[in-house]
Amino acid sequence: MNITPTDPRYADLVRKAFNKRFIGQPDYICLPGSTAEVIEAVQEAVNSRRRLVARSGGHCLEGFVGDPAVRVIIDMSLMTSVYYDTDKAAFAVEAGVTVGEMYRRLFLGWGVVLPAAEHPGVGVGGHVLGGAFGFLCREYGLAADHLYGVELVTVDAAGKAHSVIATREPDDPNRELWWAHTGGGGGNFGIVTRYWLRSPEVTGSDPYTALPKAPASITTFRITWDWKDFDQTTFTLLVRNFGQWCLENSHPGSAYIQLFNILFLNRRVLGKVEMKGLSTAGDKAETLIDEHLAAVTRGVDIPYTRQIEKSPWLSFALNPFPELFQPGFDQVRAKVKDAFLRRPFTDEQMATAWYYLTTQDYNAFGGLGLATYGGKVNEVPSDATASAQRDAILDTACNVGWGDPGQEADALAWVRAFYRDLYATSGGVPVPNQQTDGAMINHPDADLADPAWNTSGIPWYTLYYKDNYPRLQQVKRNWDPLNIFYHALSIRG
Ligand SMILES: Cc1cc2nc3c(=O)[nH]c(=O)nc-3n(C[C@H](O)[C@H](O)[C@H](O)COP(=O)(O)OP(=O)(O)OC[C@H]3O[C@@H](n4cnc5c(N)ncnc54)[C@H](O)[C@@H]3O)c2cc1C
């Protein structure tokens, strides 16, 4: 049944979006319970010429689902099965399940894990097909690296909706469609109803070994500095050390792939500079953490507090760093501007960061986050999956959040100017070059397609997909010839 504005469920469903900047006004929302019902829902929307989008977890950072032009949302949240499919010798995970619930089911059922998002509320549906990195990516790669197959509902040239299965088997005639779902991003080819997951090197049909074993324990660390203790020299040293550590330790053979860390360079008005990280190395975790901290804080002679905790995997995965995801966190309006780095920030970029983090010219609450990257992610060739960036050492994001719509103009002005100036030498965006390597499609930023903010001459799709874009276009032409599935940064056929 279609849920229209007079239905009491409509108000809740329409506000499911994490980023409250983008609340749409569709004619109706549909909640299918099976692939057959997704086909029916897509067909109905196509027949009535209504623009439709898929929604799974609602964690899109841009307005792809909340676009006011969207007339129908097909919400996958009732399709949440997770089971081992003996026919495919792979875990089947329906698109509507959240990452947290998938962690729970895979762990309690079989003791295994898919390396995926940090926030348990993210939907599997819109996440895995964007590559998908997280706390365990340095050890196990991207979620998409473990994608065996995908089922989706797509629309042919005659306007007929149907389902199709595509796997990575070399003789699968639909293999290119599988490939496009290993990093092509959401809302491009059809509506994914189900993923099948099995690590690439796995043979046989034992579910207990089909995916990586979940870590026996997680040792988290939190480091907090008082912002007012920093001057530009110590700030620069900390950022330089962090970048240098990543440069030295982001290859697949690094002794530190079981360590992940995020440096939160918050705006000074927020009071603190922080790091939150973890290691899965069990008894060796504290040693890895100590060595990492020694390298990152070398010469930064500023007191900090240090908190180390050990917890079992699932307790951590379902509530990681609770202070990050507090109640109200999902009521925020936000803008995130992502960039991959191949080499650490330069002195000029660190000076830019110092300025935008300390200036009082803007009323903005945000920061620059630097997440360790690479490790096993960097073992995979650029064209083996659609996730092209395979030698980055850091994933970074200028980000800002606000609650009061009145703050929006200042917040956006700050975050856009900050990012533009960080990448000033390459047209305001992190073009693929010696130092930067584009951005992640799971963190989409429509500014990259706006000539006012991207003056590099390098189109947005090269920033996200690099040389994989023409191949994605071919898949688009083959599988969505009528361009039924589109948004501001969708693949053009
Ligand atoms: C708090 C937060 C934390 C995050 N953490 C991480 C992280 O650690 N790692 C990371 O890689 N990313 C992270 N992200 C980004 C996240 O992976 C993407 O936003 C992802 O697209 C969200 O998927 P969703 O299903 O929740 O979103 P939705 O808003 O439901 O969808 C996002 C996009 O995918 C499309 N889509 C949704 N479902 C389907 C489907 N079934 N078939 C086809 N297309 C679909 C939508 O149409 C839309 O274009 C985070 C985002 C937030 C808000």
Side-chain angles (χ1 to χ4, degrees):
M1 196 181 91
N2 295 334
I3 297 167
T4 56
T6 53
D7 187 309
R9 291 172 290 178
Y10 182 93
D12 267 319
L13 281 169
V14 91
R15 288 188 59 77
K16 175 172 147 180
F18 169 86
N19 190 351
K20 296 292 185 276
R21 270 178 85 196
F22 304 111
I23 309 283
Q25 270 196 313
D27 298 343
Y28 63 87
I29 297 160
C30 176
L31 287 163
S34 65
T35 302
E37 288 182 12
V38 177
I39 296 174
E40 267 175 48
V42 171
Q43 194 66 66
E44 183 183 346
V46 170
N47 290 350
S48 63
R49 298 184 179 279
R50 286 184 163 93
R51 176 161 168 203
L52 69 111
V53 291
R55 182 176 70 190
S56 293
H59 278 62
C60 192
L61 291 161
E62 273 292 353
F64 302 163
V65 176
D67 187 327
V70 164
R71 304 272 43 94
V72 178
I73 294 179
I74 299 182
D75 184 297
M76 301 299 291
S77 53
L78 295 184
M79 292 182 63
T80 57
S81 293
V82 176
Y83 58 95
Y84 187 74
D85 181 340
T86 46
D87 284 350
K88 294 221 164 21
F91 288 101
V93 176
E94 286 190 328
V97 78
T98 59
V99 163
E101 180 60 9
M102 175 190 66
Y103 288 146
R104 195 181 74 83
R105 301 283 296 279
L106 289 178
F107 181 69
L108 294 184
W110 301 274
V112 298
V113 69
L114 177 75
E118 292 149 21
H119 180 41
V122 166
V124 164
H127 178 61
V128 172
L129 46 57
F133 89 114
F135 293 127
L136 303 182
C137 70
R138 285 169 50 84
E139 189 172 6
Y140 295 129
L142 302 177
D145 295 342
H146 302 265
L147 185 65
Y148 171 74
V150 62
E151 177 187 70
L152 75 154
V153 171
T154 186
V155 178
D156 67 18
K160 188 166 167 8
H162 61 100
S163 66
V164 55
I165 290 175
T167 71
R168 67 173 179 233
E169 293 297 340
D171 59 353
D172 186 332
N174 299 335
R175 192 173 190 278
E176 283 298 283
L177 187 58
W178 158 80
W179 177 84
H181 285 81
T182 57
N188 278 303
F189 311 104
I191 301 186
V192 174
T193 46
R194 215 177 343 178
Y195 293 109
W196 283 276
L197 306 167
R198 191 206 319 142
S199 302
E201 68 285 1
V202 170
T203 53
S205 55
D206 177 4
Y208 289 85
T209 57
L211 286 172
K213 265 198 184 346
S217 64
I218 296 284
T219 306
T220 58
F221 57 99
R222 294 171 171 86
I223 304 296
T224 308
W225 291 270
D226 198 329
W227 229 122
K228 68 175 161 34
D229 292 339
F230 280 95
D231 57 19
Q232 192 167 348
T233 305
T234 45
F235 171 86
T236 304
L237 190 53
L238 175 66
V239 181
R240 182 179 297 130
N241 287 348
F242 194 81
Q244 186 60 30
W245 186 90
C246 291
L247 184 63
E248 288 164 14
N249 294 291
S250 298
H251 53 94
S254 160
Y256 294 92
I257 60 170
Q258 288 182 301
L259 186 140
F260 177 93
N261 190 12
I262 304 180
L263 173 59
F264 292 89
L265 299 169
N266 303 315
R267 287 256 293 150
R268 185 159 62 187
V269 286
L270 293 169
K272 291 180 170 48
V273 171
E274 297 168 290
M275 292 197 300
K276 295 181 198 293
L278 60 91
S279 173
T280 55
D283 292 345
K284 296 197 195 100
E286 287 211 35
T287 308
L288 291 190
I289 293 168
D290 285 345
E291 290 168 359
H292 172 66
L293 293 180
V296 168
T297 60
R298 187 166 299 129
V300 183
D301 197 14
I302 296 180
Y304 58 81
T305 62
R306 165 186 160 132
Q307 194 187 343
I308 299 218
E309 278 169 22
K310 198 165 181 170
S311 56
W313 157 246
L314 191 61
S315 312
F316 168 79
L318 296 182
N319 197 12
F321 300 107
E323 70 277 17
L324 285 182
F325 305 131
Q326 285 173 15
F329 158 78
D330 58 354
Q331 296 303 311
V332 80
R333 292 150 201 266
K335 177 79 183 162
V336 174
K337 296 177 72 68
D338 183 84
F340 282 117
L341 295 193
R342 278 180 160 145
R343 299 196 56 84
F345 282 132
T346 62
D347 287 351
E348 292 72 30
Q349 287 171 315
M350 290 188 282
T352 300
W354 170 263
Y355 168 74
Y356 280 97
L357 295 173
T358 58
T359 179
Q360 295 177 2
D361 291 350
Y362 300 87
N363 178 24
F365 298 91
L368 171 62
L370 307 183
T372 57
Y373 202 70
K376 292 291 177 192
V377 176
N378 288 352
E379 203 170 49
V380 178
S382 236
D383 61 354
T385 70
S387 302
Q389 287 85 357
R390 294 296 186 162
D391 61 6
I393 62 166
L394 281 158
D395 180 57
T396 71
C398 297
N399 56 74
V400 69
W402 63 99
D404 173 2
Q407 284 180 323
E408 175 161 320
D410 240 23
L412 287 178
W414 174 78
V415 78
R416 285 176 164 148
F418 185 6
Y419 188 83
R420 177 199 62 205
D421 291 356
L422 262 184
Y423 305 107
T425 58
S426 52
V429 295
V431 302
N433 63 22
Q434 296 274 313
Q435 194 222 357
T436 52
D437 204 18
M440 184 186 301
I441 195 61
N442 260 358
H443 290 170
D445 172 11
D447 294 347
L448 299 188
D450 181 344
W453 296 107
N454 176 1
T455 57
S456 68
I458 305 293
W460 63 269
Y461 46 81
T462 302
L463 297 174
Y464 287 115
Y465 304 114
K466 305 200 335 173
D467 293 345
N468 286 337
Y469 189 62
R471 199 168 156 191
L472 288 165
Q473 287 183 291
Q474 187 58 51
V475 177
K476 175 79 175 174
R477 284 193 287 273
N478 290 347
W479 290 99
D480 185 21
L482 302 180
N483 197 27
I484 299 293
F485 301 94
Y486 69 97
H487 53 69
L489 296 179
S490 58
I491 291 156
R492 317 288 195 245

